[in-house]
Structure formats: structure tokens, C-alpha cells
Amino acid sequence: MKTNEKHSAFETNLDKNQANYAALSPITFIQRAASVYPTRTASVHGNTRYTWAETYTRCKQLASALQAQGVQPGEAVSILAPNLPEHFEAHFAVPMCGAVLNSINIRLDAEAVAFILQHAESKVLITDKEFSHVVKEALTHLDQKPLVIDIDDPYWEEGELIGELTYDAFLKQGDENFTPFDVQDEWNAITLNYTSGTTGDPKGVVYHHRGAYLNAISNAISWGMGQHPVYLWTLPMFHCNGWCFPWTVAAMAGVNVCLRHVRADHIFNLIKQEKVGYFCGAPIVLNMLNSADDTLKAGIEHSVNVMTAGAAPPASVIAGMENLGFNVTHVYGLTETYGPSVVCAWHEEWDEKTPEEKARLKSRQGVRAPMLDGLMVADPITMEPVPQDGETMGEIFMRGNLVMKGYLKNPTTTKAAFEGGWLHSGDLAVWHADGYVEIKDRSKDIIISGGENISSIEIEDVLYRHPMIQEAAVVAKNNEKWGETPCAFVALKDLDREVTKQEIIEFCREHMAHFKTPKEIVFGPLPKTSTGKIQKFLLRDRANSADDQQG
Amino acid sequence: MKTNEKHSAFETNLDKNQANYAALSPITFIQRAASVYPTRTASVHGNTRYTWAETYTRCKQLASALQAQGVQPGEAVSILAPNLPEHFEAHFAVPMCGAVLNSINIRLDAEAVAFILQHAESKVLITDKEFSHVVKEALTHLDQKPLVIDIDDPYWEEGELIGELTYDAFLKQGDENFTPFDVQDEWNAITLNYTSGTTGDPKGVVYHHRGAYLNAISNAISWGMGQHPVYLWTLPMFHCNGWCFPWTVAAMAGVNVCLRHVRADHIFNLIKQEKVGYFCGAPIVLNMLNSADDTLKAGIEHSVNVMTAGAAPPASVIAGMENLGFNVTHVYGLTETYGPSVVCAWHEEWDEKTPEEKARLKSRQGVRAPMLDGLMVADPITMEPVPQDGETMGEIFMRGNLVMKGYLKNPTTTKAAFEGGWLHSGDLAVWHADGYVEIKDRSKDIIISGGENISSIEIEDVLYRHPMIQEAAVVAKNNEKWGETPCAFVALKDLDREVTKQEIIEFCREHMAHFKTPKEIVFGPLPKTSTGKIQKFLLRDRANSADDQQG
């Protein structure tokens, strides 16, 4: 008789027990950092420094105070704050009382904040004076108001304290010897992140302990981080939980260098002062650093690693960073995948390529991150993988441990997102022969002209190569004859020269097929989301509005 | 009504599915390495080099051939071989057909090998000419013989081919396009490692996919390994699956530098030729390297990291390695904890200490590895943690994801090992104020003299400081008056001087309390296990035998 796996001796009397099984949870990271490296610095904010022991004690106090306030396991606690030590602490303290952390985008308006607080049914809101105006207004929209706790940052004067008590006073109510909530099921929710959704109500993306743990480690592996990285908080913690880096920094017993505002002077000064080795940011942040004064840039002697996501970094941005000696890694992901879950893993032999070729290779989105289990480009309908020919377009699909638990209180959308056993990213890409994925467009951003698919990104890439153009975005404009035609919105550099729309159209014609060339050019600044993404839906409206139709 | 976690919106309609959950398995590591870095070198053996794509193809062929031979999920496949590419491949190929890899200690005798093959009920045995003599004899003891496959290593002439066919011929039977076994449950067994048990039959320690995955990553984190480490196979793969490093090397897309025999000339040449950055070994291996000829040592320009376990490395060994520019990390663990699960994590401020103080700090076993969940020193009976005073002795206990699934077909011993929800290590240690654990003895090696506990390791530490002593081991000798007294077995260095037993006893008296001083000194070589551990049970027998009683 054949042995069956289920009746195998290897699966008999060998069950899980307390000795040989523990739920994966990032809470264990801070516990280890605090016990092994109690006196090492965990967080720096101005002249304030907390060690890992102090940070863990503060987390226990916060968790204990939240529990004493009646916060139950499986309830939400929100935070709306800059990248301060308190925001870092909340990433551990909230799960340590069994609750779910909801970090809210600081750039939202009162109505959006109110929607989130209501949808999450938050019991407590931790906030910061800088946002008191918005938060106060948001609270007026709520019937059930959360307990409001104010971070009273000594380095920030403006705004007002609007809560019941300050964060520090609240901590004092907590027990330093609090025993953290015992996470039994690693599938339990740890955080809730609302998508910045360009249309409709934002969706609440739920992360679990297992995924947070694994993505934290995946970050460290794919970046080749050693022990004790010094990490600068340029990336907002509200953005996919700072892509899970609060947990990475704890796992590696590193240093959190806090930052209220993403400003080039602060960033360069902190890189030099604190010997920052790692930071993340959208290409627009890197662009800002490139454009900074040379005196700010001077004097960096150590190695600095930058992870960038949100859009493919233009060649000029990569070149600028690398001239500074910064090593850029391009990553890609969604709120639904704990942030970046695809990485443009570098190959040593590419070091020999020309700068243009290197930039082209680096602008591709890449391959699955170490702990993502599946990545494919496939037909959006049949879900058959497309050929790896660098030409056939398909949708990007992901699967595995770096994919969200689902959308909160939204089973229909959750089910649709996971249809066929893969997460549907909504991004359109080609698959190269070497397995690297390159995004061509969001499915809703593709332009279909005379039956041909035109990638708006491909046109934008050409526009960015024009010496006068600072920023560009291309959208579909309705057209009776062609269905749609490309319409380009362009922000010019602040130079002493002028350029005409026709000159730009000519430039495009030289560099792309005639049918792809934008039929229309609109000059002016580009509208952006709170996370710095260009809002194409607004441009699409504008392109198709009566005014522009007449123009 | 209070929200209960189980009825929380965060736990409703948010279940696991194919899109957002995958079993943790090291198989995913080789799949990623082969797809992202297909042309990078995976294994080097002499002039043979396999890329990651080739290695994965060979694994698929082996898995397919095993399946075609009728190997079922949950059955064992054994291997008895040196650290060759084939041994590395087996770590992936065997689980890829759903089976359990049993890597057998190459230094065992025929009887012990036969016991293991029978107990594991192995369906296939992959072996190597060097061990044909032992394996042939072992097979004569078995009623149910496994299919025997010979690795025909072109770099090894001796021995004979004793199997049905060669490994390469067997691979040819397999399908390059084989679809690996779909691991649904990460708790399923992946490997089976027999303890070297000093008494009684060896016990079969079962590892699962989850633990193998997590320990592989824990290794990379605690060693601060970057991408593409070049790893030299000095540590036997049969030893806790080479402490899980086959999986670590795949996860980091590194290079396996293979090695048949642990010889100083080979090791130094490979370190230089292949730019080896990492290797593991018992202190005895480091000692051998220290004693090597200076010409061998010369010419290493790059950084080399060594992980050592099995015994606390003596100060002279650490100093010797560091003079070579090698960075030594001391780790500790058991077969039951996937190998080392405790690491003597270094603190930068210790760099300022004296060499003696550094060696003392480094000789401690340390703190829990990044992915071990609990470590304590506690009373063996009450399991109450001992004070962290560096003096009170207790037993080391571990718990969590780096603890084995249990012993195969041995529920009684499994239950005893996990009694009270912790793994009982059997090692006696003190707990220092900084949370670092320091082993004082195996519980069975402690000497109880006049009611006082005497650590045999403490006496050995003093003996090792004597300039004439190469190796030392202290055991309990029965004594009518005291119950037990310490008896020291000593191997002298090959010097032109002589030393008397009395001189050594005097030396001990100067450095320790009188009651701890060995009452007897025996000169001669020390018996060792196949993994290089001194066999104290033999010395204990000798100390208490009639001959020595008369002596």
C-alpha cells in the first residue's frame, strides 16, 4: 500500500504546540531589539533620542493606556501625524493591545478624514498640531467621536491642541510592565490603509501580522541591509505603513531618523549628521534633491541607498542621484501588496552598460520581491500569461504572502480583486525576455486611437527627454474620428527660453510613430494627489471639457 | 456591546485564498534565484560550475525521477555524501517531489547507517564512492533495501559504484519541465536529521517547510549577509542540513563553493580563488586554519566571515582568526533547533575592549537569533527563569518557529522535550545581566562534589589557558567521600618541553577554588564524535573504570 502524505509518520504525533510554533508578528522584532540592544538609539527627532529599551517601554505604556481606555482587540486606532517617533511607536503599540493601526494620509481634506474615521470605526485618534484645523473640522462630521490624543511636538509651534490629553500624558496612564496582547493567529489584522483612490470612496486595505512580518524582512533582503541601518523617514508612514519599514528598522535594530517635512535642506543635513544609509521616496523627492544647492550636497562621505517607487524614475533623476554617490533601487507595488512587492533587482554585469542603457534597465519595474510568491503579466480576461517578448501588453498580477487580506467591509470588491486566485493590479505592462516587468500604463490610462493601444507612459518618456520640459502627463481626449487621441499636459522648466506647442509636437514626431504623437499640448502646472502622483483623472476631465474643446 | 476580535470586521470576509496566501517553503527560494538570476553561478565543484537555471533544472529532473520511481509525498529519501553540488540539489529536489530529505552523517559506521535507513524507511539512498564500503555493509543489514543511486564524482577516484545507476543517469530519467509538488501546508516535513546521540539509538529530528524557510532567513539577517554571498561548504550538509545554509544561499542567490574534505590547503585556496565571504565550522576547524602554514594564509584581501558553533571558541582561536582578518560570529543551537538558534550578537562598543575581554564576551552563547521566539535560562524542574546575575545556573529553554516539529515515531520523547511549552535543551547555563546566555555545562556533564555543582567547562577553560595544553576535557569521577570529583583528560601540544600532572594541578589551584581543582590528570588524545565533539561519556567510563581506579 502506498504511503499517503496525510498518514505519513512525518505528519503523525508531530503537531504544533507552544514550544515549536509562534505566530509571525512584527511585535517580536521590537521585543528582540529592546532586549538585545537596549541602549542603542531607536529614534531621533531633533535633539530627542529614544533607545530601543525606552521605545519599547513607551509602546507598552501606549498599549496599556489604549487597553485601559476600552480599546478591544480587533478595533481600530487611527493616527494622523508626520513621521515622528510617536508614529513609529504606534506601529507596535496598537497591535500590542490587539488593535488595528489606521495611519491616515496627512494631506487629505476634512471630509475624507471623516469618511475614514467613520468607516474604520476608530476608537482613538492620535494627531498632531500641524493638522488640528483639518482634524477639528473632520470631527464635526462624526456622530461617534473617537478619543483624541495630541502629539505635542516641541519642534512644532503652529496649530493647537484639540484632544482630551497629550500623547505623553496618555503614556503616563499606561503600565510600563504591560504584557502585550498574545497574537495567536498571524492572519489577524495589524493595520488598515486607505487607498488614495482617484474616484469614489477610498477602500480600506487590511494587512495582517504575517504579511507585515514577511514584507519587513523582504525589504531587508532585497536591499541587502545589514544590522543597524540608519533609516531616514522621507517616505510617509501613512503610505502603506511606510512600506512596512517601521517593522524592518526594528527587525534590524536600526535607527529611525524622523522628519516632519520633506525638504532638501533637512534631508541633506540629516544624511550628514546621522550618517543616514537608507531612505525611500517617489522620483519627485529625488528630483528635489537633485535640484538642491551644491553646498547642501557636499560632504557626504558614506554610502547612501535610495529606494524609489510610485513612478519609473526618469534617467536624469537616476543619473543625478548616482552622481551624488547614491545607489538607487527602483521598486513597484500597490497599497494592496504592502507597498512595493516588485523590485528591479540589479545584475552586476549591467554595471558595464552605457548610462542610457542602465537608466532604461533601472526604469523597469522588475521581478518579484524575495517574499512575493508569484508575479505575472497576463491577459486581463483569460489570465493566460503573455509571451515574454517585451512587446505584448498584459495586466500585472501578483499572488502570495505580500498580498493584502482584503478590503474592509467590502466583500464584493475584495472578491473581484482576487478573481482567479491572483491580485489584479490594474497596471498594464510588457514582460521582457529576462522576466522583468515593465509598466506601460494603468489600464484606465491607456489611449485607444483608431483601434491601436497607445501607452501614455511611452509618450511621457519622450516628452521628458525634451530639454525644456519639467513634467508631463498624457491622457486620452475623445475624438469623433479616432475614438481617442493623446493630449499632453506639460509643465515647462523655469528657463529664459520659450518653446511653442508645435515645436513639442515636432519633437514627439521625431521620436515616435505618427499615430502616437499627441495632437494637443496644454501648458501649465500639473495637479497631484497628496502622495505626489499626477491626477490624470482631472487632466482627462480637463482635456474633455468644453473650454479645451474650443481651444 | 464590546467588539470581540473574532467578530471584528477585520476578521470577516477576509479569508485566506490562493491570491493572498502561500505556504512558506524554501522551494520558492530556488525558484526565484533561477528566474531572476538564471546565469549566475549556483555551485562550484572543481572545474564544474552550475548556474541557478541549470541547478533548478537538475532539481526538477531529480524530483521527477524520484516521483517516477514511486517515491510518495511524506516518504523519506536519504543521502550520504560529502558537500557536493548533488547534496545541495537534494535539499530542493527531494521536497520538490513532496518527500522528506534525510542527510546521513558520513562518519557513521555501517550499523548506525542501517539503523537510520530502516527507521526512516527510506525509499531511495543517494551515496558517494568514498563511502561505498560502509554503505554496502549497511545495506546487508536491511530487509527492505532502498534504491541506491551513486554520485560519480569525477574528482574522486577511490571506492566503487554500488547502486542501480549513477546520479547523472538518474537525472536523465527525469523531466526538465516537472511541476514541483505543491506544498499546501507549511507544517509538512521537509527534512529528517538524526542526532549523534552519545548513548542509545539516534533520534530522528523532523524539520518542516516553515521552520526551514524562517531559519534560512534568520541566518541571513543575523549575519548581515547581502545579496550573492559566496559560501564555502566547510560545515557538513548532514549537520542540521548544513544549519539550513543550502536554503540561505538560494534565498540570497549566492554561490555554493563545494568541498569534499575539510583541509586547510583546500580551504585557503578556495577562499582566495572564489573570493569566499562566508563559511561555518566548529572551533576545531578554525584551530586547524590557525595552525596552517603562513604561505597558505597569505594573499586574502577581501572580508571573510566565519560562524562557529559546537563549543565556545577559545580566546586563542578567536584571536588567530581575527589576526587573519576573519570576523568570527559565535552561535549555538541543537539539532532540535535547526542548528544555531542563539547568536552572540556583537555590540559595536565592545570593539574598544581588551582582546581578553572581547574573547570572553564572544565565547558566550548569546541571545535568541532573529527568528527564534523565546530563549530563557530557567530552573529545570519549576521552569522559573533564573535571575540574570551571571551566577545562578539553570537550563536553557527555547521556543518558537526555530524549534523542530518533533522526533519521528517517538511521541514519548517528543512530549518530554516540549514539556511545559518550551524545548528542553539539556544545557546548563547562567544568564548575564545583559540577557546573554553562557553555557556552563551539559546537564549530564556537571560534577557534583560534596554537594557543590562544579562546571566542567569552567575547569576546561582554565586548562586551555595552560601554554602546554592542546585540548582538555573534564568529567566526574565517582568518589566515596565527595560523591564525585573532577578528573581532567589532557592532550598536550607537540612541544619540546615536558609538564607533570602535579604542575597542571598547581596551575589549576592558582586559577580556581580549591574544591573545583581536578584531583586527577590523565594524558593522551581525546576521543571525538563524527562531528568533532569530545565524547565525554567515553572519558567518564574511562575515569571510572577499574584501571583508572587503580591508577
Side-chain angles (χ1 to χ4, degrees):
Chain A
M1 212 180 78
K2 289 188 171 180
T3 306
N4 180 289
E5 189 195 342
K6 291 291 156 204
H7 306 111
S8 158
F10 290 103
E11 311 304 330
T12 308
N13 292 321
L14 292 165
D15 295 332
K16 289 172 194 169
N17 61 60
Q18 277 199 299
N20 67 8
Y21 179 87
L24 299 178
S25 166
I27 295 172
T28 62
F29 297 150
I30 196 170
Q31 290 172 327
R32 182 173 188 271
S35 79
V36 177
Y37 304 104
T39 60
R40 276 193 72 93
T41 301
S43 298
V44 179
H45 174 51
N47 290 325
T48 308
R49 281 170 190 266
Y50 295 114
T51 65
W52 280 106
E54 287 163 348
T55 299
Y56 184 49
T57 298
R58 288 166 61 87
C59 289
K60 283 189 285 188
Q61 289 176 296
L62 177 54
S64 161
L66 288 168
Q67 191 184 71
Q69 274 296 331
V71 174
Q72 296 288 312
E75 290 185 337
V77 171
S78 295
I79 184 164
L80 194 155
N83 287 343
L84 300 178
E86 291 83 354
H87 204 156
F88 175 78
E89 289 156 12
H91 275 82
F92 296 90
V94 173
M96 278 164 60
C97 79
V100 179
L101 178 68
N102 165 234
S103 179
I104 301 176
N105 188 331
I106 55 177
R107 301 189 194 109
L108 293 179
D109 60 21
E111 203 178 331
V113 171
F115 171 85
I116 288 173
L117 290 171
Q118 188 143 358
H119 189 262
E121 301 173 45
S122 297
K123 294 298 174 288
V124 175
L125 170 64
I126 300 167
T127 186
D128 176 274
K129 286 176 289 186
E130 185 177 353
F131 312 103
S132 55
H133 182 74
V134 170
V135 171
K136 242 168 114 173
E137 193 192 326
L139 292 170
T140 63
H141 295 305
L142 299 178
D143 296 331
Q144 294 275 2
K145 291 190 196 358
L147 173 77
V148 178
I149 312 283
D150 285 302
I151 300 170
D152 190 8
D153 178 8
Y155 295 98
W156 186 254
E157 298 293 327
E158 294 165 39
E160 54 177 322
L161 300 174
I162 57 170
E164 309 285 320
L165 72 176
T166 66
Y167 185 94
D168 283 344
F170 191 57
L171 283 199
K172 287 206 182 75
Q173 295 183 357
D175 178 2
E176 290 190 4
N177 299 310
F178 176 76
T179 302
F181 178 77
D182 184 16
V183 180
Q184 292 283 338
D185 185 351
E186 62 197 34
W187 195 255
N188 279 351
I190 185 167
T191 56
L192 170 65
N193 292 290
Y194 283 84
T195 57
S196 51
T198 44
T199 51
D201 283 331
K203 297 189 288 282
V205 174
V206 182
Y207 292 175
H208 49 67
H209 284 257
R210 175 183 170 98
Y213 182 104
L214 293 173
N215 196 34
I217 296 299
S218 191
N219 283 336
I221 299 282
S222 77
W223 222 350
M225 270 178 155
Q227 287 287 307
H228 313 312
V230 181
Y231 182 87
L232 176 64
W233 275 105
T234 37
L235 177 75
M237 289 195 203
F238 64 73
H239 204 152
C240 311
N241 298 112
W243 302 345
C244 302
F245 275 99
W247 301 312
T248 304
V249 174
M252 311 307 280
V255 182
N256 293 285
V257 181
C258 294
L259 189 69
R260 180 177 284 270
H261 296 138
V262 175
R263 278 175 40 181
D265 53 348
H266 289 167
I267 292 174
F268 280 111
N269 288 338
L270 286 168
I271 288 175
K272 286 180 259 187
Q273 265 171 43
E274 304 292 340
K275 298 270 177 292
V276 167
Y278 299 86
F279 69 92
C280 303
I284 199 168
V285 174
L286 310 194
N287 212 6
M288 182 193 74
L289 296 180
N290 276 337
S291 312
D293 204 81
D294 283 345
T295 53
L296 280 175
K297 295 179 186 171
I300 300 171
E301 311 288 340
H302 62 285
S303 117
V304 181
N305 300 284
V306 191
M307 213 172 246
T308 190
S316 61
V317 168
I318 295 175
M321 283 285 108
E322 297 197 337
N323 285 341
L324 269 172
F326 290 12
N327 178 29
V328 179
T329 300
H330 176 210
V331 293
Y332 153 77
L334 312 168
T335 304
E336 287 82 349
T337 63
Y338 294 75
S341 58
V342 172
V343 54
C344 185
W346 195 247
H347 289 229
E348 285 157 17
E349 62 270 27
W350 295 348
D351 290 341
E352 309 304 320
K353 304 263 182 189
T354 64
E356 294 72 34
E357 186 65 3
K358 278 199 254 186
R360 193 191 63 78
L361 288 165
K362 197 163 265 189
S363 71
R364 304 185 303 169
Q365 277 62 33
V367 293
R368 62 187 171 100
M371 292 183 179
L372 183 69
D373 298 272
L375 173 69
M376 68 172 180
V377 182
D379 183 289
I381 307 302
T382 65
M383 295 185 67
E384 274 299 307
V386 304
Q388 299 198 353
D389 59 8
E391 287 190 3
T392 313
M393 200 120 68
E395 185 174 354
I396 296 179
F397 292 89
M398 294 98 151
R399 68 164 21 157
N401 294 312
L402 302 190
V403 173
M404 66 170 178
K405 188 163 163 157
Y407 298 114
L408 184 69
K409 299 190 279 193
N410 200 340
T412 311
T413 311
T414 300
K415 205 171 159 223
F418 294 150
E419 190 71 45
W422 289 82
L423 175 74
H424 298 235
S425 74
D427 284 322
L428 296 180
V430 296
W431 214 354
H432 288 280
D434 61 0
Y436 280 57
V437 158
E438 184 177 356
I439 291 189
K440 290 296 176 177
D441 230 328
R442 294 286 304 168
S443 45
K444 60 181 177 298
D445 291 339
I446 205 84
I447 300 155
I448 306 174
S449 190
E452 299 276 0
N453 283 354
I454 303 175
S455 156
S456 64
I457 289 178
E458 192 184 329
I459 305 174
E460 288 157 11
D461 275 351
V462 170
L463 290 168
Y464 270 108
R465 279 150 59 190
H466 191 285
M468 299 283 288
I469 292 178
Q470 173 78 24
E471 285 184 320
V474 176
V475 299
K477 174 166 177 159
N478 297 327
N479 182 287
E480 273 195 26
K481 181 173 175 189
W482 301 105
E484 295 175 346
T485 54
C487 171
F489 290 81
V490 168
L492 294 176
K493 286 187 185 161
D494 192 15
L495 298 174
D496 287 339
R497 288 184 288 147
E498 287 201 1
V499 65
T500 66
K501 296 179 181 182
Q502 195 53 39
E503 278 168 353
I504 289 176
I505 290 176
E506 287 301 323
F507 179 83
C508 290
R509 282 210 182 147
E510 283 169 37
H511 293 92
M512 65 179 70
H514 196 103
F515 79 96
K516 294 181 180 175
T517 306
K519 302 292 166 282
E520 210 163 321
I521 306 288
V522 183
F523 290 130
L526 305 183
K528 304 223 175 71
T529 68
S530 53
T531 56
K533 283 189 195 170
I534 294 169
Q535 291 175 296
K536 285 204 173 174
F537 73 105
L538 288 181
L539 295 176
R540 212 172 284 121
D541 288 351
R542 218 188 279 171
N544 292 296
S545 72
D547 276 347
D548 281 290
Q549 295 289 352
Q550 292 160 358
Chain B
M1 212 180 77
K2 290 191 170 177
T3 306
N4 180 286
E5 189 195 344
K6 291 291 158 209
H7 307 111
S8 158
F10 291 102
E11 310 306 330
T12 308
N13 292 321
L14 293 166
D15 297 332
K16 290 173 195 169
N17 61 60
Q18 276 200 299
N20 68 8
Y21 179 86
L24 298 178
S25 166
I27 296 172
T28 62
F29 297 151
I30 196 171
Q31 290 172 327
R32 183 174 188 271
S35 79
V36 178
Y37 303 105
T39 60
R40 276 194 71 94
T41 301
S43 299
V44 179
H45 175 50
N47 290 324
T48 307
R49 280 171 190 265
Y50 294 114
T51 65
W52 281 105
E54 287 163 347
T55 298
Y56 184 48
T57 298
R58 287 165 62 87
C59 290
K60 283 189 284 186
Q61 288 177 298
L62 177 54
S64 161
L66 289 168
Q67 192 185 68
Q69 275 296 330
V71 173
Q72 296 288 311
E75 290 186 337
V77 170
S78 295
I79 184 164
L80 194 156
N83 287 343
L84 301 178
E86 290 83 354
H87 205 156
F88 175 77
E89 288 156 11
H91 276 82
F92 296 89
V94 173
M96 277 165 60
C97 78
V100 179
L101 178 69
N102 165 234
S103 179
I104 301 175
N105 187 331
I106 56 177
R107 301 190 194 108
L108 294 179
D109 60 21
E111 205 177 332
V113 172
F115 171 85
I116 288 172
L117 290 172
Q118 187 142 1
H119 189 263
E121 302 174 43
S122 297
K123 293 298 173 292
V124 174
L125 170 64
I126 299 167
T127 186
D128 176 275
K129 285 174 290 186
E130 185 177 352
F131 312 103
S132 55
H133 183 73
V134 170
V135 171
K136 242 167 113 174
E137 193 192 325
L139 291 171
T140 64
H141 296 304
L142 299 179
D143 296 330
Q144 293 277 3
K145 292 191 195 1
L147 173 76
V148 178
I149 311 283
D150 285 302
I151 300 170
D152 189 8
D153 177 7
Y155 295 98
W156 186 254
E157 299 292 326
E158 293 166 41
E160 54 178 320
L161 300 175
I162 57 169
E164 309 286 317
L165 73 177
T166 66
Y167 185 92
D168 283 344
F170 191 58
L171 284 200
K172 287 207 182 75
Q173 295 183 357
D175 178 2
E176 290 190 4
N177 299 310
F178 177 76
T179 301
F181 179 77
D182 184 17
V183 180
Q184 291 284 336
D185 184 350
E186 63 197 33
W187 195 256
N188 279 351
I190 185 167
T191 57
L192 170 66
N193 291 291
Y194 283 84
T195 58
S196 52
T198 44
T199 52
D201 284 330
K203 297 189 287 282
V205 174
V206 181
Y207 292 175
H208 49 67
H209 285 257
R210 176 183 170 97
Y213 181 105
L214 292 173
N215 196 33
I217 297 298
S218 191
N219 283 337
I221 300 283
S222 78
W223 219 351
M225 270 178 154
Q227 287 287 306
H228 312 311
V230 180
Y231 182 86
L232 176 64
W233 275 105
T234 37
L235 177 75
M237 289 194 202
F238 64 75
H239 204 151
C240 310
N241 299 112
W243 302 344
C244 303
F245 275 99
W247 302 312
T248 305
V249 174
M252 312 307 279
V255 181
N256 294 284
V257 180
C258 294
L259 188 69
R260 179 176 284 270
H261 295 136
V262 175
R263 277 173 42 180
D265 52 349
H266 290 167
I267 293 173
F268 280 113
N269 289 339
L270 286 169
I271 288 175
K272 286 180 261 188
Q273 264 169 42
E274 305 292 339
K275 298 271 176 294
V276 167
Y278 299 86
F279 70 93
C280 303
I284 199 169
V285 173
L286 310 194
N287 213 4
M288 182 192 73
L289 297 180
N290 277 336
S291 312
D293 204 81
D294 282 345
T295 53
L296 279 175
K297 295 178 185 172
I300 301 172
E301 310 290 340
H302 62 284
S303 118
V304 181
N305 300 284
V306 191
M307 213 172 245
T308 189
S316 60
V317 168
I318 294 175
M321 283 285 108
E322 296 195 339
N323 285 341
L324 269 173
F326 291 12
N327 178 29
V328 178
T329 301
H330 176 209
V331 293
Y332 153 76
L334 311 168
T335 303
E336 287 82 348
T337 62
Y338 293 75
S341 57
V342 173
V343 53
C344 184
W346 195 247
H347 289 228
E348 284 157 18
E349 62 268 28
W350 295 347
D351 289 341
E352 311 303 318
K353 304 263 182 191
T354 65
E356 295 72 33
E357 186 65 4
K358 276 198 256 187
R360 193 190 64 78
L361 288 165
K362 197 162 267 191
S363 70
R364 305 185 304 169
Q365 276 63 32
V367 293
R368 63 187 170 100
M371 293 184 179
L372 183 70
D373 299 272
L375 172 69
M376 69 172 180
V377 182
D379 182 289
I381 307 302
T382 66
M383 294 185 66
E384 273 300 306
V386 303
Q388 299 197 352
D389 59 9
E391 287 191 2
T392 313
M393 200 121 67
E395 184 174 354
I396 297 179
F397 292 89
M398 294 96 153
R399 68 163 25 156
N401 294 312
L402 303 190
V403 173
M404 66 170 177
K405 187 161 165 160
Y407 298 114
L408 183 68
K409 298 190 280 192
N410 200 340
T412 312
T413 311
T414 300
K415 205 170 159 224
F418 294 150
E419 191 71 46
W422 289 82
L423 175 75
H424 298 236
S425 75
D427 285 322
L428 296 179
V430 295
W431 213 354
H432 288 279
D434 62 359
Y436 280 58
V437 157
E438 183 176 357
I439 290 190
K440 290 294 177 181
D441 231 329
R442 292 286 306 169
S443 48
K444 61 183 177 299
D445 291 337
I446 204 85
I447 301 156
I448 306 173
S449 189
E452 299 277 359
N453 284 354
I454 304 175
S455 155
S456 64
I457 290 177
E458 193 184 328
I459 306 175
E460 289 157 13
D461 275 351
V462 170
L463 289 168
Y464 270 108
R465 278 149 60 190
H466 191 285
M468 298 282 290
I469 291 178
Q470 173 80 22
E471 284 185 322
V474 176
V475 299
K477 174 166 180 159
N478 296 328
N479 181 288
E480 271 194 31
K481 182 171 176 193
W482 301 103
E484 296 175 345
T485 55
C487 172
F489 289 81
V490 168
L492 294 175
K493 285 186 186 163
D494 192 15
L495 299 173
D496 287 339
R497 289 184 287 148
E498 286 202 359
V499 66
T500 67
K501 294 178 181 184
Q502 196 52 40
E503 278 169 352
I504 289 175
I505 290 175
E506 286 302 325
F507 180 83
C508 289
R509 281 211 181 144
E510 283 170 36
H511 294 92
M512 66 179 71
H514 195 104
F515 78 96
K516 294 181 180 174
T517 306
K519 301 292 165 284
E520 210 164 321
I521 306 287
V522 183
F523 289 130
L526 305 182
K528 304 223 177 67
T529 67
S530 53
T531 56
K533 283 189 196 173
I534 294 169
Q535 290 176 298
K536 284 202 172 173
F537 72 104
L538 288 180
L539 295 176
R540 212 173 283 120
D541 288 351
R542 219 189 280 170
N544 292 297
S545 71
D547 276 346
D548 281 294
Q549 296 288 354
Q550 293 162 358

